[in-house]
Coordinates of all heavy atoms in Angstrom, one line a residue:
M1 N 0.8 -1.2 0.0 CA 0.0 0.0 0.0 C 0.9 1.3 0.0 O 0.6 2.2 -0.7 CB -0.9 0.0 1.2 CG -1.8 1.2 1.3 SD -3.1 1.0 2.5 CE -3.9 2.6 2.5
K2 N 2.0 1.2 0.8 CA 2.8 2.4 0.8 C 3.4 2.7 -0.6 O 3.4 3.9 -1.0 CB 4.0 2.1 1.8 CG 4.9 3.3 2.0 CD 6.0 3.0 3.0 CE 6.9 4.1 3.2 NZ 8.0 3.8 4.2
N3 N 3.7 1.7 -1.3 CA 4.2 1.9 -2.7 C 3.1 2.5 -3.6 O 3.4 3.4 -4.4 CB 4.8 0.7 -3.3 CG 6.1 0.3 -2.7 OD1 6.8 1.2 -2.1 ND2 6.5 -1.0 -2.8
A4 N 1.9 2.0 -3.4 CA 0.8 2.4 -4.2 C 0.5 3.9 -4.0 O 0.3 4.7 -4.9 CB -0.5 1.6 -3.9
L5 N 0.5 4.3 -2.7 CA 0.2 5.7 -2.4 C 1.3 6.6 -2.9 O 1.1 7.8 -3.0 CB 0.1 5.8 -0.9 CG -1.1 5.1 -0.3 CD1 -1.2 5.4 1.2 CD2 -2.4 5.4 -1.0
A6 N 2.5 6.1 -3.1 CA 3.6 7.0 -3.6 C 3.4 7.3 -5.1 O 4.1 8.2 -5.6 CB 4.9 6.3 -3.4
K7 N 2.6 6.6 -5.8 CA 2.4 6.9 -7.2 C 1.5 8.2 -7.4 O 0.8 8.6 -6.5 CB 1.6 5.7 -7.9 CG 2.3 4.4 -7.7 CD 3.7 4.4 -8.3 CE 4.4 3.0 -8.0 NZ 5.8 3.1 -8.2
S8 N 1.6 8.7 -8.6 CA 0.9 10.0 -8.8 C -0.6 9.8 -8.9 O -1.3 10.7 -8.6 CB 1.4 10.7 -10.1 OG 1.2 9.8 -11.2
R9 N -1.0 8.6 -9.3 CA -2.5 8.4 -9.5 C -2.9 7.0 -8.8 O -3.4 6.1 -9.5 CB -2.8 8.4 -11.0 CG -2.4 9.7 -11.7 CD -2.5 9.5 -13.2 NE -3.8 9.4 -13.6 CZ -4.2 9.0 -14.8 NH1 -3.3 8.6 -15.7 NH2 -5.5 8.9 -15.1
P10 N -2.8 6.9 -7.5 CA -3.1 5.6 -6.9 C -4.5 5.2 -7.1 O -4.8 4.0 -7.1 CB -2.7 5.8 -5.4 CG -2.7 7.3 -5.2 CD -2.3 7.9 -6.5
G11 N -5.4 6.1 -7.2 CA -6.8 5.8 -7.3 C -7.2 5.1 -8.5 O -8.3 4.5 -8.6
I12 N -6.4 5.0 -9.5 CA -6.8 4.4 -10.8 C -6.5 2.9 -10.7 O -7.1 2.1 -11.5 CB -6.1 5.0 -12.0 CG1 -4.6 4.7 -12.0 CG2 -6.4 6.4 -12.2 CD1 -4.0 5.0 -13.3
F13 N -5.7 2.4 -9.8 CA -5.5 0.9 -9.8 C -5.7 0.4 -8.4 O -5.5 -0.8 -8.2 CB -4.1 0.6 -10.3 CG -2.9 1.1 -9.5 CD1 -2.4 0.3 -8.5 CD2 -2.4 2.4 -9.8 CE1 -1.3 0.8 -7.8 CE2 -1.3 2.8 -9.0 CZ -0.8 2.1 -8.1
F14 N -6.1 1.2 -7.4 CA -6.2 0.7 -6.0 C -7.4 1.4 -5.5 O -7.4 2.6 -5.1 CB -4.9 1.2 -5.3 CG -4.8 0.7 -3.9 CD1 -4.6 -0.6 -3.6 CD2 -5.0 1.6 -2.8 CE1 -4.5 -1.1 -2.3 CE2 -4.9 1.1 -1.5 CZ -4.6 -0.2 -1.3
N15 N -8.6 0.8 -5.6 CA -9.9 1.5 -5.4 C -11.0 0.6 -4.8 O -11.1 -0.5 -5.3 CB -10.3 2.1 -6.7 CG -11.2 3.3 -6.5 OD1 -12.3 3.2 -6.0 ND2 -10.7 4.5 -6.7
S16 N -11.7 1.1 -3.9 CA -12.8 0.3 -3.3 C -14.1 0.3 -4.1 O -14.9 -0.5 -3.9 CB -13.2 0.9 -1.9 OG -13.8 2.2 -2.1
G17 N -14.2 1.2 -5.1 CA -15.4 1.3 -5.8 C -16.4 2.3 -5.3 O -17.5 2.4 -5.8
F18 N -15.9 3.1 -4.3 CA -16.8 4.1 -3.7 C -16.1 5.5 -3.8 O -14.9 5.6 -3.7 CB -17.1 3.8 -2.2 CG -18.0 2.6 -2.1 CD1 -17.4 1.3 -1.9 CD2 -19.4 2.8 -2.0 CE1 -18.3 0.2 -1.8 CE2 -20.2 1.6 -1.9 CZ -19.6 0.4 -1.8
D19 N -16.9 6.5 -3.9 CA -16.4 7.9 -3.9 C -17.0 8.7 -2.8 O -18.2 8.5 -2.4 CB -16.9 8.6 -5.2 CG -16.1 8.3 -6.4 OD1 -15.0 7.7 -6.3 OD2 -16.6 8.6 -7.5
P20 N -16.3 9.6 -2.2 CA -16.9 10.5 -1.2 C -17.7 11.7 -1.8 O -17.2 12.2 -2.8 CB -15.7 11.0 -0.4 CG -14.6 11.0 -1.4 CD -14.9 9.9 -2.4
R21 N -18.8 12.0 -1.2 CA -19.6 13.2 -1.6 C -19.7 14.1 -0.4 O -19.9 13.6 0.7 CB -21.0 12.8 -2.1 CG -21.0 12.0 -3.4 CD -20.7 12.9 -4.6 NE -20.8 12.1 -5.8 CZ -19.8 11.5 -6.4 NH1 -18.6 11.5 -5.9 NH2 -20.0 10.8 -7.6
F22 N -19.5 15.4 -0.6 CA -19.5 16.4 0.5 C -20.8 17.2 0.4 O -21.1 17.8 -0.6 CB -18.3 17.3 0.3 CG -17.0 16.5 0.5 CD1 -16.5 15.7 -0.5 CD2 -16.3 16.5 1.7 CE1 -15.3 15.0 -0.4 CE2 -15.2 15.8 1.9 CZ -14.6 15.0 0.9
D23 N -21.4 17.3 1.6 CA -22.6 18.2 1.7 C -22.2 19.5 2.2 O -21.7 19.7 3.4 CB -23.5 17.5 2.8 CG -24.9 18.2 2.9 OD1 -24.9 19.5 2.7 OD2 -25.9 17.6 3.1
A24 N -22.3 20.5 1.3 CA -21.8 21.9 1.6 C -22.6 22.5 2.8 O -22.1 23.4 3.5 CB -21.9 22.8 0.4
E25 N -23.8 22.1 3.0 CA -24.7 22.6 4.1 C -24.2 22.1 5.4 O -24.3 22.9 6.4 CB -26.1 22.2 3.9 CG -26.7 22.8 2.6 CD -26.8 24.3 2.6 OE1 -27.1 24.9 3.6 OE2 -26.5 24.9 1.5
L26 N -23.6 20.9 5.5 CA -23.2 20.4 6.8 C -21.7 20.6 7.1 O -21.3 20.7 8.2 CB -23.4 18.8 6.8 CG -24.9 18.4 6.7 CD1 -25.0 16.9 6.6 CD2 -25.6 18.9 8.0
C27 N -20.9 20.8 6.0 CA -19.5 21.0 6.2 C -19.2 22.3 6.9 O -19.7 23.3 6.6 CB -18.8 21.0 4.8 SG -17.0 21.3 5.0
V28 N -18.3 22.2 8.0 CA -17.9 23.3 8.7 C -16.4 23.7 8.5 O -15.8 24.5 9.2 CB -18.1 23.1 10.3 CG1 -19.6 22.9 10.6 CG2 -17.3 21.9 10.7
A29 N -15.9 23.2 7.4 CA -14.5 23.5 6.9 C -13.4 23.3 8.0 O -12.5 24.1 8.1 CB -14.5 25.0 6.4
C30 N -13.6 22.3 8.8 CA -12.6 22.0 9.8 C -11.3 21.4 9.3 O -10.3 21.4 10.0 CB -13.2 21.1 10.9 SG -13.5 19.4 10.3
E31 N -11.3 20.8 8.1 CA -10.2 20.2 7.4 C -9.7 18.9 8.0 O -8.6 18.4 7.7 CB -9.0 21.2 7.3 CG -9.4 22.5 6.5 CD -8.2 23.3 6.1 OE1 -7.1 22.9 6.3 OE2 -8.4 24.4 5.5
T32 N -10.5 18.3 8.9 CA -10.1 17.0 9.5 C -10.0 16.0 8.4 O -9.1 15.2 8.4 CB -11.2 16.6 10.5 OG1 -11.3 17.5 11.5 CG2 -10.9 15.2 11.1
C33 N -10.9 16.0 7.4 CA -10.8 15.0 6.4 C -9.6 15.2 5.5 O -8.9 14.2 5.1 CB -12.1 15.1 5.5 SG -12.4 16.8 4.8
I34 N -9.2 16.4 5.3 CA -7.9 16.7 4.5 C -6.7 16.1 5.3 O -5.9 15.5 4.7 CB -7.8 18.2 4.3 CG1 -9.0 18.7 3.4 CG2 -6.4 18.5 3.7 CD1 -9.0 20.2 3.2
D35 N -6.7 16.3 6.6 CA -5.6 15.8 7.4 C -5.5 14.3 7.5 O -4.5 13.7 7.6 CB -5.7 16.4 8.8 CG -5.5 17.9 8.9 OD1 -4.9 18.5 7.9 OD2 -5.9 18.6 9.8
R36 N -6.7 13.7 7.4 CA -6.8 12.2 7.6 C -6.6 11.4 6.3 O -6.3 10.2 6.4 CB -8.1 11.8 8.2 CG -8.3 12.2 9.7 CD -9.7 12.0 10.2 NE -10.3 10.8 9.9 CZ -10.3 9.7 10.7 NH1 -9.8 9.8 11.9 NH2 -10.9 8.6 10.4
C37 N -6.8 12.0 5.2 CA -6.8 11.3 3.9 C -5.4 10.7 3.6 O -4.5 11.4 3.4 CB -7.2 12.2 2.8 SG -7.2 11.4 1.2
P38 N -5.3 9.4 3.6 CA -4.0 8.7 3.4 C -3.3 9.1 2.1 O -2.1 9.3 2.2 CB -4.4 7.2 3.4 CG -5.6 7.1 4.2 CD -6.4 8.4 3.9
P39 N -3.9 9.2 1.0 CA -3.2 9.5 -0.2 C -3.1 11.0 -0.6 O -2.7 11.4 -1.6 CB -3.9 8.8 -1.3 CG -5.4 8.8 -0.9 CD -5.3 8.7 0.6
E40 N -3.6 11.9 0.4 CA -3.6 13.3 0.2 C -4.4 13.7 -1.0 O -3.9 14.4 -1.9 CB -2.2 13.8 0.2 CG -1.4 13.6 1.5 CD 0.0 14.0 1.4 OE1 0.5 14.6 0.4 OE2 0.7 13.9 2.5
A41 N -5.6 13.2 -1.1 CA -6.5 13.4 -2.2 C -7.4 14.6 -2.1 O -8.1 15.0 -3.0 CB -7.3 12.2 -2.5
L42 N -7.4 15.2 -0.9 CA -8.3 16.3 -0.6 C -7.6 17.7 -0.5 O -6.5 17.8 0.1 CB -9.1 16.0 0.7 CG -10.0 14.8 0.6 CD1 -10.6 14.6 2.0 CD2 -11.1 15.0 -0.4
T43 N -8.2 18.7 -1.0 CA -7.8 20.1 -0.8 C -9.0 20.9 -0.5 O -10.1 20.5 -0.9 CB -7.1 20.7 -2.0 OG1 -7.9 20.5 -3.2 CG2 -5.7 20.0 -2.3
M44 N -8.8 22.0 0.2 CA -10.0 22.9 0.5 C -10.3 23.7 -0.8 O -9.5 24.4 -1.3 CB -9.7 23.8 1.7 CG -10.9 24.6 2.2 SD -12.4 23.5 2.5 CE -11.9 22.8 4.1
G45 N -11.6 23.7 -1.1 CA -12.1 24.5 -2.3 C -12.3 25.9 -1.9 O -12.3 26.3 -0.8
D46 N -12.5 26.7 -2.9 CA -12.8 28.2 -2.8 C -14.0 28.4 -2.0 O -14.2 29.5 -1.3 CB -12.9 28.9 -4.1 CG -11.5 28.9 -4.9 OD1 -10.5 28.7 -4.2 OD2 -11.5 29.0 -6.1
D47 N -15.0 27.5 -2.0 CA -16.2 27.6 -1.3 C -16.2 27.0 0.1 O -17.2 26.7 0.7 CB -17.4 27.0 -2.1 CG -17.1 25.6 -2.5 OD1 -16.0 25.1 -2.2 OD2 -18.1 25.0 -3.0
D48 N -15.0 26.7 0.6 CA -14.8 26.1 1.9 C -15.4 24.7 2.1 O -15.9 24.3 3.1 CB -15.3 27.0 3.0 CG -14.4 28.2 3.3 OD1 -13.2 28.1 3.0 OD2 -14.8 29.2 3.9
V49 N -15.5 24.0 1.0 CA -15.9 22.6 1.0 C -14.7 21.8 0.3 O -14.2 22.2 -0.7 CB -17.2 22.4 0.2 CG1 -17.5 20.9 0.1 CG2 -18.3 23.1 0.9
P50 N -14.3 20.7 0.9 CA -13.2 19.9 0.3 C -13.4 19.5 -1.1 O -14.6 19.2 -1.5 CB -13.0 18.7 1.2 CG -13.5 19.2 2.5 CD -14.7 20.1 2.2
V51 N -12.4 19.5 -1.9 CA -12.4 19.0 -3.3 C -11.6 17.7 -3.4 O -10.5 17.6 -2.8 CB -11.9 20.1 -4.2 CG1 -11.8 19.6 -5.7 CG2 -12.7 21.4 -4.1
V52 N -12.1 16.7 -4.2 CA -11.4 15.4 -4.3 C -10.6 15.3 -5.6 O -11.1 15.7 -6.7 CB -12.5 14.3 -4.3 CG1 -11.8 12.9 -4.2 CG2 -13.4 14.4 -3.1
D53 N -9.4 14.9 -5.5 CA -8.6 14.5 -6.6 C -8.9 13.0 -6.8 O -8.3 12.2 -6.1 CB -7.1 14.8 -6.4 CG -6.2 14.3 -7.6 OD1 -6.7 13.7 -8.5 OD2 -5.0 14.7 -7.6
F54 N -9.7 12.7 -7.8 CA -10.1 11.3 -8.0 C -9.0 10.4 -8.6 O -9.1 9.2 -8.6 CB -11.4 11.2 -8.8 CG -12.6 11.7 -8.0 CD1 -13.2 12.9 -8.3 CD2 -13.1 10.9 -7.0 CE1 -14.3 13.3 -7.6 CE2 -14.2 11.3 -6.3 CZ -14.8 12.5 -6.6
D55 N -7.9 11.0 -9.1 CA -6.8 10.2 -9.5 C -6.0 9.7 -8.2 O -5.3 8.7 -8.3 CB -5.8 11.1 -10.3 CG -6.3 11.2 -11.7 OD1 -7.2 10.5 -12.1 OD2 -5.7 12.1 -12.4
R56 N -6.2 10.4 -7.1 CA -5.5 9.9 -5.9 C -6.5 9.2 -4.9 O -6.1 8.3 -4.2 CB -4.9 11.1 -5.1 CG -3.8 11.8 -5.9 CD -2.9 12.6 -5.1 NE -2.2 11.8 -4.1 CZ -1.2 11.0 -4.4 NH1 -0.7 10.9 -5.6 NH2 -0.6 10.3 -3.4
C57 N -7.7 9.6 -4.8 CA -8.7 9.0 -3.9 C -8.9 7.5 -4.3 O -9.2 7.2 -5.5 CB -10.0 9.7 -4.0 SG -11.4 8.9 -3.1
F58 N -8.8 6.6 -3.3 CA -9.1 5.2 -3.6 C -10.3 4.7 -2.8 O -10.6 3.5 -2.7 CB -7.9 4.3 -3.3 CG -7.3 4.4 -1.9 CD1 -7.7 3.7 -0.9 CD2 -6.2 5.3 -1.7 CE1 -7.2 3.7 0.4 CE2 -5.7 5.4 -0.4 CZ -6.1 4.6 0.6
G59 N -11.1 5.6 -2.2 CA -12.4 5.2 -1.6 C -12.3 4.5 -0.3 O -13.2 3.7 0.0
C60 N -11.4 4.9 0.5 CA -11.2 4.2 1.8 C -12.2 4.6 2.9 O -12.4 3.9 3.9 CB -9.8 4.4 2.3 SG -9.4 6.1 2.8
A61 N -12.8 5.8 2.7 CA -13.8 6.3 3.7 C -13.2 6.8 5.0 O -14.0 7.1 5.9 CB -14.9 5.3 4.0
V62 N -11.9 6.9 5.1 CA -11.3 7.5 6.3 C -11.8 8.9 6.5 O -12.1 9.3 7.6 CB -9.8 7.4 6.2 CG1 -9.1 8.3 7.3 CG2 -9.3 6.0 6.3
C63 N -12.0 9.6 5.4 CA -12.5 11.0 5.5 C -13.9 11.0 6.2 O -14.2 11.8 7.1 CB -12.6 11.7 4.2 SG -13.4 10.8 2.9
A64 N -14.8 10.1 5.7 CA -16.2 10.1 6.1 C -16.3 9.7 7.6 O -17.1 10.2 8.3 CB -17.0 9.1 5.3
T65 N -15.5 8.7 8.0 CA -15.6 8.2 9.4 C -15.0 9.3 10.4 O -15.4 9.2 11.6 CB -14.8 6.9 9.6 OG1 -13.4 7.1 9.2 CG2 -15.4 5.8 8.7
G66 N -14.2 10.2 9.9 CA -13.7 11.2 10.8 C -14.4 12.6 10.8 O -14.0 13.5 11.6
C67 N -15.3 12.7 9.9 CA -16.0 14.0 9.8 C -16.9 14.3 11.0 O -17.8 13.5 11.3 CB -16.8 14.1 8.5 SG -17.8 15.6 8.3
P68 N -16.7 15.4 11.7 CA -17.5 15.7 12.9 C -18.9 16.1 12.7 O -19.7 16.0 13.6 CB -16.7 16.8 13.6 CG -16.0 17.5 12.5 CD -15.6 16.4 11.5
S69 N -19.2 16.5 11.4 CA -20.6 16.9 11.1 C -21.3 16.0 10.2 O -22.3 16.4 9.6 CB -20.5 18.4 10.6 OG -19.7 18.5 9.5
E70 N -20.7 14.8 9.9 CA -21.3 13.8 9.0 C -21.7 14.4 7.7 O -22.8 14.2 7.1 CB -22.6 13.2 9.7 CG -22.2 12.5 11.0 CD -23.4 11.8 11.6 OE1 -24.5 11.9 11.1 OE2 -23.2 11.1 12.6
A71 N -20.7 15.2 7.1 CA -21.0 15.9 5.9 C -20.5 15.0 4.7 O -20.7 15.5 3.5 CB -20.2 17.2 5.9
I72 N -19.9 13.9 4.9 CA -19.4 13.1 3.8 C -20.2 11.8 3.7 O -20.3 11.0 4.7 CB -17.9 12.8 4.1 CG1 -17.1 14.1 4.3 CG2 -17.3 12.0 2.8 CD1 -15.7 13.8 4.7
T73 N -20.6 11.4 2.5 CA -21.3 10.2 2.2 C -20.5 9.4 1.2 O -20.1 10.0 0.2 CB -22.7 10.5 1.7 OG1 -23.4 11.3 2.7 CG2 -23.5 9.2 1.5
M74 N -20.4 8.1 1.4 CA -19.7 7.3 0.4 C -20.7 6.8 -0.6 O -21.7 6.2 -0.2 CB -18.9 6.2 1.0 CG -17.8 6.6 2.0 SD -16.6 7.7 1.3 CE -15.8 6.7 0.2
V75 N -20.5 6.9 -1.9 CA -21.4 6.5 -2.9 C -20.7 5.6 -3.9 O -19.5 5.7 -4.1 CB -22.1 7.7 -3.7 CG1 -22.9 8.6 -2.7 CG2 -21.0 8.5 -4.4
N76 N -21.5 4.8 -4.6 CA -20.9 3.9 -5.6 C -20.2 4.7 -6.7 O -20.8 5.7 -7.2 CB -21.9 3.0 -6.3 CG -22.4 1.9 -5.4 OD1 -21.6 1.3 -4.7 ND2 -23.7 1.6 -5.4
K77 N -19.0 4.3 -7.0 CA -18.2 5.0 -8.1 C -18.8 4.7 -9.4 O -18.9 3.6 -9.8 CB -16.8 4.6 -8.0 CG -15.8 5.4 -8.8 CD -14.4 4.9 -8.5 CE -13.3 5.7 -9.2 NZ -13.3 7.1 -8.6
P78 N -19.3 5.8 -10.2 CA -20.0 5.5 -11.4 C -19.2 4.8 -12.5 O -19.8 4.0 -13.2 CB -20.5 6.9 -11.9 CG -19.6 7.8 -11.2 CD -19.2 7.2 -9.9
D79 N -18.0 5.1 -12.6 CA -17.1 4.5 -13.6 C -16.1 3.5 -13.1 O -15.0 3.4 -13.6 CB -16.4 5.6 -14.4 CG -15.6 6.5 -13.5 OD1 -15.8 6.4 -12.3 OD2 -14.8 7.3 -14.1
F80 N -16.5 2.8 -12.0 CA -15.6 1.9 -11.3 C -14.9 0.9 -12.2 O -15.7 0.2 -12.9 CB -16.3 1.3 -10.1 CG -15.4 0.3 -9.4 CD1 -14.2 0.8 -8.7 CD2 -15.7 -1.0 -9.3 CE1 -13.4 -0.1 -8.0 CE2 -14.9 -1.9 -8.6 CZ -13.7 -1.5 -8.0
Q81 N -13.6 0.8 -12.1 CA -12.9 -0.3 -12.8 C -12.4 -1.2 -11.8 O -11.7 -0.8 -10.8 CB -11.7 0.3 -13.6 CG -12.2 1.1 -14.8 CD -11.0 1.7 -15.6 OE1 -10.1 2.2 -15.0 NE2 -11.1 1.5 -16.9
A82 N -12.7 -2.5 -11.9 CA -12.2 -3.5 -10.9 C -10.7 -3.4 -10.8 O -10.0 -3.2 -11.7 CB -12.6 -4.9 -11.3
P83 N -10.2 -3.7 -9.5 CA -8.7 -3.6 -9.3 C -8.0 -4.8 -10.1 O -8.7 -5.8 -10.5 CB -8.6 -3.8 -7.8 CG -9.9 -4.4 -7.4 CD -10.9 -3.9 -8.3
P84 N -6.7 -4.7 -10.3 CA -6.0 -5.7 -11.0 C -6.1 -7.1 -10.2 O -6.2 -7.1 -9.0 CB -4.5 -5.2 -10.9 CG -4.6 -3.8 -10.7 CD -5.9 -3.5 -9.9
K85 N -6.3 -8.1 -11.1 CA -6.5 -9.5 -10.5 C -5.2 -10.2 -10.2 O -5.1 -11.2 -9.5 CB -7.3 -10.3 -11.5 CG -8.7 -9.8 -11.7 CD -9.5 -10.8 -12.6 CE -10.9 -10.4 -12.8 NZ -11.0 -9.2 -13.7
N86 N -4.1 -9.7 -10.8 CA -2.8 -10.4 -10.6 C -1.6 -9.4 -10.8 O -1.9 -8.2 -11.1 CB -2.7 -11.6 -11.6 CG -3.0 -11.1 -13.0 OD1 -2.5 -10.1 -13.5 ND2 -3.8 -11.9 -13.7
G87 N -0.4 -9.9 -10.7 CA 0.7 -9.1 -10.8 C 0.9 -8.4 -12.2 O 1.3 -7.3 -12.3
K88 N 0.5 -9.2 -13.2 CA 0.7 -8.7 -14.6 C -0.3 -7.4 -14.8 O 0.2 -6.4 -15.3 CB 0.3 -9.8 -15.6 CG 0.6 -9.4 -17.0 CD 0.3 -10.6 -18.0 CE 0.5 -10.2 -19.4 NZ 0.2 -11.3 -20.3
E89 N -1.5 -7.6 -14.3 CA -2.5 -6.5 -14.5 C -2.0 -5.3 -13.6 O -2.2 -4.1 -14.0 CB -3.9 -6.9 -14.1 CG -4.5 -7.8 -15.1 CD -6.0 -8.1 -14.8 OE1 -6.5 -7.4 -13.9 OE2 -6.6 -9.0 -15.4
L90 N -1.5 -5.6 -12.4 CA -1.1 -4.5 -11.5 C 0.1 -3.7 -12.2 O 0.1 -2.5 -12.2 CB -0.6 -5.1 -10.2 CG -0.1 -4.1 -9.2 CD1 -1.1 -3.0 -8.8 CD2 0.4 -4.8 -7.9
K91 N 1.0 -4.5 -12.7 CA 2.2 -3.8 -13.4 C 1.7 -2.9 -14.5 O 2.2 -1.8 -14.7 CB 3.1 -4.9 -13.9 CG 4.4 -4.3 -14.5 CD 5.4 -5.3 -15.0 CE 6.6 -4.7 -15.6 NZ 7.5 -5.8 -16.1
A92 N 0.8 -3.4 -15.3 CA 0.2 -2.6 -16.4 C -0.4 -1.3 -15.9 O -0.3 -0.2 -16.5 CB -0.7 -3.4 -17.2
A93 N -1.2 -1.5 -14.8 CA -1.8 -0.3 -14.2 C -0.8 0.7 -13.7 O -1.0 1.9 -13.8 CB -2.8 -0.7 -13.1
V94 N 0.2 0.2 -13.0 CA 1.2 1.1 -12.5 C 1.9 1.8 -13.6 O 2.1 3.0 -13.5 CB 2.3 0.3 -11.6 CG1 3.4 1.2 -11.3 CG2 1.6 -0.3 -10.4
L95 N 2.3 1.1 -14.7 CA 2.9 1.8 -15.8 C 2.0 2.8 -16.4 O 2.4 3.9 -16.8 CB 3.4 0.7 -16.8 CG 4.5 -0.2 -16.4 CD1 4.7 -1.3 -17.4 CD2 5.8 0.6 -16.1
A96 N 0.7 2.5 -16.5 CA -0.2 3.5 -17.1 C -0.3 4.7 -16.2 O -0.5 5.8 -16.7 CB -1.6 2.8 -17.2
G97 N -0.1 4.5 -14.9 CA -0.2 5.7 -14.0 C 1.0 6.6 -14.1 O 1.0 7.7 -13.6
R98 N 2.1 6.1 -14.8 CA 3.2 7.0 -14.9 C 3.2 7.9 -16.1 O 4.0 8.7 -16.3 CB 4.5 6.1 -15.1 CG 4.8 5.4 -13.8 CD 6.0 4.5 -14.0 NE 6.4 3.8 -12.8 CZ 7.2 2.7 -12.8 NH1 7.7 2.2 -13.9 NH2 7.5 2.1 -11.6
T99 N 2.2 7.7 -17.0 CA 2.1 8.5 -18.2 C 1.4 9.8 -18.0 O 0.8 10.0 -16.9 CB 1.2 7.7 -19.3 OG1 -0.1 7.5 -18.8 CG2 1.9 6.4 -19.7
Ligands
SF4_101 S1 -14.2 16.8 8.1 FE1 -16.3 17.2 7.5 S2 -16.7 19.2 8.3 FE2 -14.5 19.0 8.3 S3 -13.8 19.9 6.3 FE3 -14.1 17.7 6.0 S4 -16.3 17.5 5.2 FE4 -16.1 19.5 6.2
SF4_102 S1 -12.2 8.1 0.6 FE1 -11.7 10.0 1.6 S2 -9.9 9.6 2.9 FE2 -10.1 7.9 1.4 S3 -8.8 8.4 -0.3 FE3 -10.8 9.2 -0.8 S4 -10.8 11.3 -0.1 FE4 -9.1 10.3 0.9

């Protein structure tokens, strides 16, 4: 996992199939989710609601479980691609992430 997170786009080959969605009405801009996100996929947006880099997010839900105002909901990823089934597929995905 440490090696996967070091890639520029870990979310494309290491993914749960879920995306976080942020409720702007509930978010209090505390940045807890940004601090907790393992692959550093979150930044604060201009409207004080976190923005997701989906090339980095792998759908772990750590952000959602730590949100003090329950502003984050995990939803099915609409364009989910199943993770690599073996080393060959993983290598191809890693190489694709370098482009
Ligand atoms: S943890 Fe929740 S309230 Fe805090 S910035 Fe993230 S979404 Fe907003
Ligand atoms: S689900 Fe949340 S904590 Fe996990 S990688 Fe995505 S943005 Fe980061």
Side-chain angles (χ1 to χ4, degrees):
M1 181 168 174
K2 186 176 179 182
N3 287 341
L5 296 183
K7 306 301 179 193
S8 61
R9 303 168 68 195
I12 67 165
F13 64 92
F14 186 74
N15 204 291
S16 71
F18 291 88
D19 281 344
R21 292 284 186 271
F22 295 80
D23 186 325
E25 298 296 319
L26 294 176
C27 177
V28 295
C30 68
E31 301 194 4
T32 300
C33 55
I34 295 173
D35 293 339
R36 286 168 52 93
C37 178
E40 300 178 357
L42 297 174
T43 54
M44 188 54 77
D46 293 338
D47 55 354
D48 283 341
V49 176
V51 175
V52 186
D53 178 350
F54 287 107
D55 282 347
R56 296 202 61 78
C57 173
F58 56 86
C60 66
V62 167
C63 53
T65 59
C67 176
S69 56
E70 300 184 355
I72 308 172
T73 304
M74 301 303 294
V75 300
N76 286 320
K77 196 174 183 65
D79 56 348
F80 177 62
Q81 293 180 310
K85 295 184 179 74
N86 52 47
K88 186 177 180 181
E89 287 187 12
L90 177 61
K91 182 178 180 181
V94 170
L95 292 173
R98 290 177 179 164
T99 59

